[in-house]
Amino acid sequence: MLAQQIVSGLATGSLYALTAIGIVLIFRNTRTINLAQGDFSMIGAFVALVILEHSGGSLVVATLVTIVAVTALAVVVERLIMRPIEGSDWLTLFTATLGVFYILHGVAGWIWGRDTKSFPALFSSAPLSIGGTLISQAHLFNILVAAVVGGILYLFFRFTKPGIAMRAITEDPVAAQLMGIPVRSIVLLTWAVGGVLAAISGILLAPLVYVSTQMMDGVLVKGYVGAVFGGLYSLPGAVIGSLIIGVAENLAGGYLGAQYKVTIAFVLIVLVLALKPRGLFGGKARREI
Amino acid sequence: MLSLEAVEVGYGQIKALKGITLRVSDGQIVALLGANGAGKTTALRAISGLLRTSAGSISVDAVRLDRLAPEEIVRRGVVQVPEGRRVFAGLSVLENLRMGAYCRDGSIADDLERVYRYFPVLGQRRRQAGGSLSGGEQQMLAIGRALMARPKVLLLDEPSLGLAPKLVAEILKIIRTINADGVTVLLVEQNAYQALSIAHYSYVLRVGRVVLEGTAEELKDRNDVVRSYLGRQAAG
Ligand SMILES: Nc1ncnc2c1ncn2[C@@H]1O[C@H](COP(=O)(O)OP(=O)(O)OP(=O)(O)O)[C@@H](O)[C@H]1O
Ligand SMILES: [Mg+2]
């Protein structure tokens, strides 16, 4: 029972982690707390649903189209809304993403309606038994996909030129410019990566909940809390924070009652902020621009 | 040749450069001297495209730079080593050097070898984080990183700042070697004595204007004047 709770907590946590990573990537290169990160996933879930209906149920086609569509959406948001106000103070940037949040909620409601829609399950509901622990196939799949995404991101940041450039911009955007790094293009790429992550998490979450305009609201908050664990800066910190939240809320839900699920995330965030304001993995001074 | 013609740059209402004209001929080391707040860093930031000019022009080999983006200026061979070194602290030495070559395609093996030849210590520490290096090593990394872009003109903003005298001498020696290998250098310094010792030609800035220029010999002969513009200890 406990092992099961922990595994399904890790599965939920890995979905939070995809959102948390998106939030951290965009924040540390642009100082923008992107409230629309969850909406990118929500739009993605609707797009995937539409494509599934029109492609005869091909999940591969739906996934690819969704990734392209959500990435394009993120790019459009950067170019049309965020770029014109680049360099503004964080509150202006934050408020702009709040605007995007409401606009996307409104647009999705207008196109697809306010009703919840069910997304076809990707796996049978029969759980697998691994070492005596029953694990839902969907949960296992989510953990695997998140792990693969994490691995790809690690390689990207470690070995590729644009990946290292993203880290360089995080460290010192002015020095990055002086080295000939096209900072604006890399920032656009950062938003695009955020879009890819959002598309994946939207498709993974959709079968577990109903598709609706609010489907991501809770995930956004928990992904944000996960990101704060890493000081909105550290990617491993954000991942571990998200997993801790996923497990903690599952345990709280299982042992204390479902109404404590949301509370636990906030108890954790208050604890982190009180004890380690820069995040569990922070403590590293950043150069202000 | 890098040339600035009557360049004006302001921060809001304040004019930090009030029309400065200077030339850096190919193959030379030109020193840009001046006391605190004279506008030296402002001039370099304008050349690199971080600040926009409000009047005048900046060009290299007759190509206008002053409306180009910073990365386009780097691609045209004008590369800056900024004040305070600004190495990427969390990136390894090798990653820092790779970022210096960002605007170039193809292999960077030869360039790495060249940088390690100038600064053997960087070769030994290539896996170490940039932020873990000593001040002098970070200055070497900052210069090495800029060399990775294969600059025609290298802009150096107070490379001796905060370094022990022995290291200062070493850095100046390497700047001379880099110049002898064909790189044109614009060297910003407060420490006039040191800079004059390696410069072919020098300009002295004071509150946004060029107040004095000449070859090192000419300025050394007028040590009293240099001293009055730069402050006593600066002229050595
Ligand atoms: N970001 C800024 N905003 C407003 N004024 C500035 C800014 N940066 C520099 N200044 C002003 O512009 C003038 C020139 O500054 P600059 O940094 O170019 O001087 P400097 O010659 O490089 O001095 P130092 O030797 O201290 O580095 C100074 O009066 C300074 O106060
Ligand atoms: Mg300066």
Side-chain angles (χ1 to χ4, degrees), chain B residues 4 8 57 94 120 122 132 177 220:
Chain B
L4 281 73
E8 294 180 18
S57 71
L94 184 57
L122 296 182
S132 73
T177 312
K220 270 177 190 159

Side-chain angles (χ1 to χ4, degrees), chain B residues 174-220:
Chain B
I174 286 171
I175 292 171
R176 214 179 204 162
T177 312
I178 291 168
N179 173 250
D181 290 348
V183 180
T184 304
V185 173
L186 177 58
L187 173 64
V188 161
E189 272 295 343
Q190 273 195 52
N191 189 329
Y193 183 74
Q194 300 271 12
L196 286 173
S197 72
I198 66 166
H200 300 101
Y201 200 83
S202 303
Y203 293 86
V204 178
L205 273 188
R206 201 173 109 117
V207 283
R209 291 183 208 282
V210 174
V211 289
L212 202 60
E213 62 180 277
T215 63
E217 286 71 32
E218 287 163 5
L219 291 196
K220 270 177 190 159

Side-chain angles (χ1 to χ4, degrees), chain B residues 64-207:
Chain B
R64 283 286 286 265
L65 299 183
D66 50 272
R67 289 291 173 266
L68 297 181
E71 67 265 21
E72 290 166 331
I73 293 169
V74 171
R75 260 188 241 120
R76 280 169 181 72
V78 180
V79 186
Q80 181 179 157
V81 180
E83 190 173 11
R85 330 188 201 305
R86 304 186 86 145
V87 302
F88 302 117
L91 269 57
S92 71
V93 167
L94 184 57
E95 286 171 335
N96 268 279
L97 294 174
R98 272 188 83 179
M99 288 301 100
Y102 195 91
C103 59
R104 289 187 18 234
D105 298 323
S107 168
I108 59 168
D110 290 351
D111 304 81
L112 283 174
E113 205 178 293
R114 178 163 85 122
V115 169
Y116 294 153
R117 200 155 11 89
Y118 286 132
F119 307 109
V121 66
L122 296 182
Q124 293 150 24
R125 315 231 150 148
R126 70 187 86 183
R127 308 252 162 253
Q128 225 168 290
S132 73
L133 303 182
S134 73
E137 290 164 351
Q138 288 193 20
Q139 187 62 61
M140 295 177 194
L141 178 54
I143 296 173
R145 186 178 62 172
L147 288 177
M148 292 298 291
R150 288 198 194 149
K152 282 191 295 194
V153 182
L154 189 63
L155 314 172
L156 293 151
D157 197 345
E158 304 208 34
S160 69
L161 195 71
L163 299 186
K166 195 165 153 256
L167 270 173
V168 173
E170 196 176 321
I171 295 276
L172 288 178
K173 205 175 117 208
I174 286 171
I175 292 171
R176 214 179 204 162
T177 312
I178 291 168
N179 173 250
D181 290 348
V183 180
T184 304
V185 173
L186 177 58
L187 173 64
V188 161
E189 272 295 343
Q190 273 195 52
N191 189 329
Y193 183 74
Q194 300 271 12
L196 286 173
S197 72
I198 66 166
H200 300 101
Y201 200 83
S202 303
Y203 293 86
V204 178
L205 273 188
R206 201 173 109 117
V207 283

Side-chain angles (χ1 to χ4, degrees), chain A residues 157-162 164-165 167-169 171-172 174-183 185-186 284 287-288, chain B residues 45 48 50 70-71 74 79-80 82 84 86-92 95 98-105 145-146:
Chain A
F157 283 114
R158 192 70 212 275
F159 296 112
T160 73
K161 215 157 124 174
I164 300 171
R167 287 164 52 214
I169 292 170
E171 301 259 342
D172 188 337
V174 174
Q177 279 186 299
L178 288 176
M179 289 308 106
I181 296 172
V183 172
S185 313
I186 300 286
K284 187 177 160 145
R287 189 194 294 275
E288 290 302 322
Chain B
R45 290 169 75 91
S48 286
L50 294 178
E71 67 265 21
V74 171
V79 186
Q80 181 179 157
R86 304 186 86 145
V87 302
F88 302 117
L91 269 57
S92 71
E95 286 171 335
R98 272 188 83 179
M99 288 301 100
Y102 195 91
C103 59
R104 289 187 18 234
D105 298 323
R145 186 178 62 172

Side-chain angles (χ1 to χ4, degrees), chain A residues 191-253:
Chain A
W191 280 82
V193 172
V196 173
L197 292 169
I200 294 170
S201 76
I203 294 173
L204 293 179
L205 185 70
L208 307 180
V209 299
Y210 288 104
V211 176
S212 75
T213 52
Q214 300 98 30
M215 65 180 275
M216 285 298 295
D217 293 359
V219 178
L220 173 72
V221 171
K222 285 152 191 171
Y224 175 73
V225 174
V228 170
F229 267 79
L232 286 178
Y233 174 84
S234 155
L235 293 178
V239 171
I240 291 169
S242 301
L243 295 178
I244 290 175
I245 293 165
V247 171
E249 72 171 15
N250 249 282
L251 293 178

